[in-house]
Amino acid sequence: LGEVEQPGAYSVSPSTSLSSSLYYFQGPTKNGSLREIRLIRKDKQIGSIDFYNYLLSGNTPNDPRLQLDDVVFMPPRGKTVSIHGEINRQGIYELKETEGLKDLLHIAGDLPVTAYMNRAQISRVVPVDDRSELGMDRMVIDIDLESAIADNKDIELRDGDVLEIFSIED
């Protein structure tokens, strides 16, 4: 149930795990989360998986097997950010609320040697409630990647942010 391409009841193999069940209902819609796929048994959540762990490492720790009358629930996706430019895997990624810049860089395959470390840009749409106070709809934030990575404080990213990493060759 939830944000899946083909919700419904399915007969599955006895060896079907939570992660392999995605095959049956053809995975999430574009609005579905891959960060917390839930297994509900007798009205109680008994497990969940972060599919990014599997995509990044090939491991599926704590991947419970399905039983009769189990419900696989895919919630709406959470905070979504884009990253492009000098990064190994450009794309659109879903981040957990506690994840920031360092996590995004890791998920996106880390920086190649050609990344310019002294400057990157975050393009951010200002939330509706803050627009009149700030007097703008969109803002561009310059960041120093080198100090952001070396610093113990992670840079917060917000839903809809677009991060551009520049090339040292530019």
Side-chain angles (χ1 to χ4, degrees), residues 91-141:
I92 301 169
Y93 297 97
E94 179 183 4
L95 297 179
K96 294 179 179 179
E97 285 304 314
T98 58
E99 292 177 327
L101 176 67
K102 291 179 187 178
D103 300 295
L104 176 62
L105 294 175
H106 174 69
I107 290 168
D110 296 317
L111 297 166
V113 295
T114 55
Y116 184 60
M117 299 299 291
N118 293 336
R119 182 171 172 250
Q121 276 186 343
I122 299 171
S123 177
R124 176 173 292 161
V125 173
V126 176
V128 175
D129 297 341
D130 298 337
R131 290 179 187 171
S132 61
E133 180 183 324
L134 294 174
M136 63 180 80
D137 296 333
R138 177 181 284 290
M139 64 173 50
V140 175
I141 304 164

Side-chain angles (χ1 to χ4, degrees), residues 83-91 111-112 115 163-167:
I83 186 168
H84 60 91
E86 289 299 302
I87 191 74
N88 286 320
R89 280 192 301 268
Q90 297 184 56
L111 297 166
L163 176 63
E164 182 175 2
I165 311 273
F166 299 108
S167 171

